DNA sequence: TTAGTTTGTCCGGTATTCCAGACATCATGT
DNA sequence: ACATGATGTCTGGAATACCGGACAAACTAA
C-alpha cells in the first residue's frame, strides 16, 4: 500500500533532483508537455528546464524544435511559450475520429442546453481523475478551467465508477494513500470508499455531496465501451441545495443519456 | 520561384526515400504526428514506419513511448493507433488559455445558432490554409471533418486575407506554384490572385464563389491580434444560390463580429 | 558604477540512442 | 503442404544527440 503506485509516474515534476542523468529527447518532450499542462499557463524556457529537471541547453533545443512544428507557440512579448496550434488540431482529431466520441460531445451540448446545469465528461488519467470536457452552467460563476486537472479519485463521484472493475486489493495498490485526504483536511476511510465503489457498481451510478467542495452535489453515470468496460462517465455538478425532486429528475436524465451512449447491451 | 518554398517542409511525407539517414527521436515524433493528422484515421505501426520513412524497430519504440504517455492510443482490436487522450487535454489547454480564443469560440457558437449557417475559424499552417474550428449548419449534410486539413491558400477566401501582410514578391516565394491549380483543373492566374489579396486587404473582407467547390459561396473577415496583424479569420460557407440580400446581411454580421473580436483599434 | 541574475547561443566529448538485421509468430493465399 | 508477408521483439555497434560549461548580452538592484 502506502504510495507505491506513484512510482509509476516518474515524470512527476519537481521531485528527485538527482543530477547527471542523461535522458532521451522524446522523454524530455513528454515531460515538458505534462509540465505545461500541470502549470496551465505559458512558461519561460528557463523555468521549464527547472521544472522538468533538464539542462538549459537541451531545453532550448527541444523547445525550438517544437516551436517550429507549431506544437508550442510563443505567447506574449518575450520568452513565454505554451501549447501551439498543432496541438489543437491533434486534439480535435482525437475527439472527432470516432462517431462515438462525437455523439458524446453532442449529448453534452444538449444536456447543458436542456437543463442549464453544469455537465462534465470525466475519465481517468493514470491513477487520477480528470475532467475531459465540460459545458458550464450559465448561472453561477463557475469557471470551466478544470479540464485536464488531475484530481484524486476518492474525491469524486465519477471516480467511484471508473475504478469499478478493480478488486479491493488492486485498489489499495492503485490509489495513493494521500489521495484519501480531502482538501479541507477530512480523511475518507479506505474501507468506506471501497464500499462506495461497490455500491456504485451495483446501482449503476454514483452520487457525492459536499465532498471535494462543500457547495456541490455531484452525480455520475457510466458510459460503457463495446466491451462493457467503463471508460468515461457523464456527470452533473449541482449546487448542494438543489431540491431532491429536481435532483432525482436530473439523475434519471443522466442515467438515460449515459445508457444511450454506451455501446454494449447488458 | 517554382516551388522553392516547399523545401521548408522537409517533413512532408512520402518524398525523399533516401535511406540510411539517422534522425532524432524528436523529429520522428513530429513527423509521426503530422502523418497521423494527414491520414486522419488510425494507422498500423508498420504503415506509420513507411509513411514517415523510419525503421520499423525505431517506430515501435517511439510509438510505445507515446502510448505510455497517452499521447497515442490503441484503437480497435489490433495494432491500430491514433491520437490519445493527452492530446485532447493539450489541445483543450491551447484553445482555452487565453480569454481571446475563448471569446472567439463563443462567437462561433452564437453565430451558428443565430444564422443556422456553417461558420468556420480559419488560419495558416506553414504555407497552407487550415480550418481551426467550425460549427456546421444543421441543414445540408456537410460533415465537419475538414478541421486541420491543409488546403492551398489560393483556393480560399480566408487565404486572401491571411497573406495580406505580404508583398507580391514574398507571396511568389511563399505559395507553391502547384497551389494555383484548383481541384477541377482550372488554374488561377497568380496576378489575378495578387489583385484579389490586395482587394481583400483594402476592403477588409474577402468573398469567393464556386472556387474550391462549385456549390459554395465563402465569405471571410479578419480577426486582428493586438499588433493589428491578421492571425485568424471568421468565415461563412454558404450554398452558392443564397440570395444576395441574405448574403449581404450575413456579410455584415460577419464583419461586425470579426471586428468585435479584434484586439486593436485602427 | 559594480555585482548579481537571467537569457540565448555555441562547442567539444561521450554516453547513449537509433539503426540494421535477425528471429519467432501469426495470417493469408495457392 | 509451401511460400509469402506482416507483426512484434531483441541485439550489437556506430553515429550522434544530449550534456556540461563557457560566453556575451540584457536586465535589475543597490
Amino acid at each position: 500500500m502506502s504510495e507505491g503506485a506513484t512510482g509509476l509516474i516518474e515524470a512527476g515534476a519537481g521531485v528527485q533532483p538527482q543530477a547527471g542523468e542523461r535522458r532521451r529527447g522524446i522523454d524530455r518532450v513528454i515531460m515538458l508537455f505534462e509540465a505545461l499542462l500541470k502549470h496551465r499557463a505559458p512558461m519561460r524556457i528557463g523555468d521549464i528546464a527547472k521544472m522538468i529537471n533538464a539542462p538549459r541547453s537541451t531545453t532550448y533545443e527541444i523547445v525550438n524544435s517544437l516551436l517550429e512544428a507549431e506544437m508550442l507557440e510563443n505567447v506574449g512579448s518575450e520568452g513565454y511559450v505554451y501549447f501551439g496550434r498543432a496541438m489543437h488540431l491533434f486534439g480535435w482529431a482525437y475527439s472527432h475520429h470516432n462517431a462515438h466520441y462525437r455523439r458524446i460531445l453532442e449529448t453534452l451540448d444538449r444536456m447543458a442546453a436542456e437543463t442549464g446545469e453544469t455537465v462534465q465528461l470525466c475519465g481517468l488519467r493514470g491513477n487520477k481523475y480528470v475532467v475531459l470536457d465540460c459545458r458550464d452552467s450559465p448561472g453561477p460563476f463557475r469557471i470551466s478551467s478544470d479540464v485536464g486537472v488531475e484530481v484524486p479519485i476518492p474525491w469524486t463521484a465519477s471516480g467511484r465508477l471508473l475504478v469499478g472493475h478493480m478488486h479491493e486489493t488492486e485498489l489499495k495498490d492503485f490509489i495513493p494513500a494521500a489521495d484519501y485526504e480531502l482538501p479541507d483536511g477530512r480523511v475518507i476511510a479506505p474501507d468506506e470508499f471501497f464500499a462506495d465503489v461497490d455500491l456504485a457498481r451495483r446501482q449503476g451510478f454514483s452520487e457525492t455531496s459536499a465532498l471535494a467542495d462543500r457547495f456541490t452535489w455531484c452525480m455520475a453515470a457510466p458510459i460503457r465501451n463495446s466491451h462493457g468496460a467503463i471508460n468515461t462517465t457523464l456527470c452533473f455538478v449541482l449546487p448542494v441545495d438543489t431540491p431532491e425532486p429536481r435532483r432525482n429528475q436530473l439523475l434519471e436524465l443522466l442515467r438515460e443519456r449515459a445508457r444511450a451512449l454506451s455501446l454494449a447491451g447488458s
Side-chain angles (χ1 to χ4, degrees), chain A:
Chain A
M1 60 195 76
S2 67
E3 29 65 62
T6 62
L8 292 173
I9 321 279
E10 47 133 346
V15 220
Q16 299 168 339
Q18 50 187 340
E21 211 165 336
R22 195 177 200 257
R23 292 187 112 98
R24 292 196 306 172
I26 296 193
D27 295 329
R28 299 283 190 204
V29 168
I30 292 172
M31 287 188 265
L32 192 158
F33 287 141
E34 307 231 324
L36 264 191
L37 183 67
K38 196 165 295 180
H39 192 254
R40 308 228 112 225
M43 294 176 77
R44 327 194 88 210
I45 302 188
D47 296 324
I48 295 177
K50 276 179 215 137
M51 190 148 198
I52 67 177
N53 198 32
R56 253 164 26 86
S57 52
T58 305
T59 310
Y60 271 96
E61 206 169 328
I62 290 176
V63 167
N64 285 330
S65 290
L66 296 174
L67 281 172
E68 198 177 352
E70 289 182 280
M71 297 184 72
L72 293 181
E73 194 170 280
N74 277 316
V75 30
S77 44
E78 275 305 328
Y80 285 86
V81 296
Y82 202 53
F83 296 109
R85 205 167 261 192
M87 282 304 196
H88 173 70
L89 299 177
F90 299 155
W92 202 97
Y94 167 79
S95 40
H96 291 255
H97 86 280
N98 67 24
H100 184 218
Y101 208 108
R102 279 203 300 271
R103 277 178 52 218
I104 293 177
L105 294 183
E106 284 161 21
T107 300
L108 228 53
D109 282 326
R110 220 170 39 242
M111 288 174 69
E114 287 168 9
T115 68
E117 304 288 352
T118 296
V119 201
Q120 298 180 329
L121 177 71
C122 308
L124 291 188
R125 189 162 150 66
N127 57 2
K128 297 281 192 271
Y129 151 103
V130 292
V131 178
L132 296 171
D133 216 321
C134 69
R135 298 295 180 272
D136 281 315
S137 143
F141 331 151
R142 189 179 175 77
I143 210 158
S144 70
S145 66
D146 45 2
V147 166
V149 174
E150 299 187 348
V151 172
I153 292 171
W155 297 10
T156 67
S158 294
R160 285 160 171 70
L161 286 165
L162 289 163
V163 298
H165 59 101
M166 292 179 139
H167 301 322
E168 200 172 308
T169 51
E170 286 178 88
L171 277 177
K172 279 181 181 151
D173 284 345
F174 187 62
I175 299 182
D179 284 8
Y180 291 99
E181 182 173 346
L182 295 169
D184 60 6
R186 284 179 295 161
V187 174
I188 300 172
D191 283 337
E192 194 180 322
F193 174 71
F194 299 147
D196 273 5
V197 172
D198 196 52
L199 176 65
R201 176 177 40 236
R202 280 185 287 112
Q203 66 188 9
F205 66 91
S206 179
E207 288 187 293
T208 62
S209 65
L211 199 60
D213 173 333
R214 287 199 301 129
F215 309 104
T216 56
W217 183 293
C218 296
M219 50 181 68
I223 301 176
R224 295 171 188 279
N225 66 15
S226 48
H227 304 84
I230 300 175
N231 244 342
T232 52
T233 61
L234 227 46
C235 170
F236 271 127
V237 182
L238 311 172
V240 261
D241 56 6
T242 306
E244 192 180 332
R246 173 147 172 89
R247 284 207 320 256
N248 290 336
Q249 175 192 341
L250 289 170
L251 179 60
E252 224 22 72
L253 177 69
L254 187 74
R255 298 188 65 190
E256 179 193 312
R257 293 295 162 84
R259 206 160 30 225
L261 288 171
S262 294
L263 292 172
S266 70

